[in-house]
């Protein structure tokens, strides 16, 4: 097993897809090598649908929502929503800790 495969955080987050489908639940994980990736909820192959290296991203918290945060990179923005403020804090702390 590659040391980068060590999972620092994982769980369900809602990701904004588009105006037709809106918020969709996805499985996210943050690995020790500083990569956040996600898969479809019922994907048994666990093949990544997208990934971002955290040293290339900016984390933006929403002041109007305790469950919203965005991951912004030069090429793409992921609009995310957690199930609770506790979940958002867990994710943002894990990301910020790994970025340091």
């Amino acid at each position: 097993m590659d040391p980068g495969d060590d999972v620092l955080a994982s769980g369900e987050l809602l990701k904004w897809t588009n105006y037709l489908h809106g918020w969709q639940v996805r499985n996210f994980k943050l690995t020790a090598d500083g990569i956040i990736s996600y898969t479809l909820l019922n994907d048994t192959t666990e093949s990544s649908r997208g990934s971002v290296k955290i040293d290339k991203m900016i984390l933006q918290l929403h002041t109007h929502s305790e469950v919203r945060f965005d991951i912004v990179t030069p090429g793409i923005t992921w609009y995310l929503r957690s199930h609770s403020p506790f979940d958002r804090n867990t994710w943002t702390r894990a990301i910020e800790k790994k970025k340091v």
Side-chain angles (χ1 to χ4, degrees), residues 57-68:
M57 56 151 276
I58 297 170
L59 183 63
Q60 292 183 335
L61 303 180
H62 285 254
T63 56
H64 65 276
S65 172
E66 296 179 327
V67 296
R68 287 280 319 277

Side-chain angles (χ1 to χ4, degrees), residues 36-54:
I36 299 174
S37 60
Y38 74 93
T39 60
L40 298 177
L41 189 59
N42 297 318
D43 187 358
T44 56
T45 66
E46 295 188 23
S47 58
S48 175
R49 300 287 293 184
S51 63
V52 171
K53 192 141 177 71
I54 64 171

Side-chain angles (χ1 to χ4, degrees), residues 64-98:
H64 65 276
S65 172
E66 296 179 327
V67 296
R68 287 280 319 277
F69 64 101
D70 299 337
I71 293 176
V72 181
T73 70
I76 194 162
T77 299
W78 290 349
Y79 304 100
L80 303 173
R81 194 170 74 189
S82 63
H83 293 292
S84 70
F86 178 82
D87 288 345
R88 180 180 92 161
N89 289 338
T90 300
W91 274 100
T92 56
R93 279 194 312 264
I95 292 167
E96 289 169 348
K97 184 177 178 181
K98 185 61 188 170

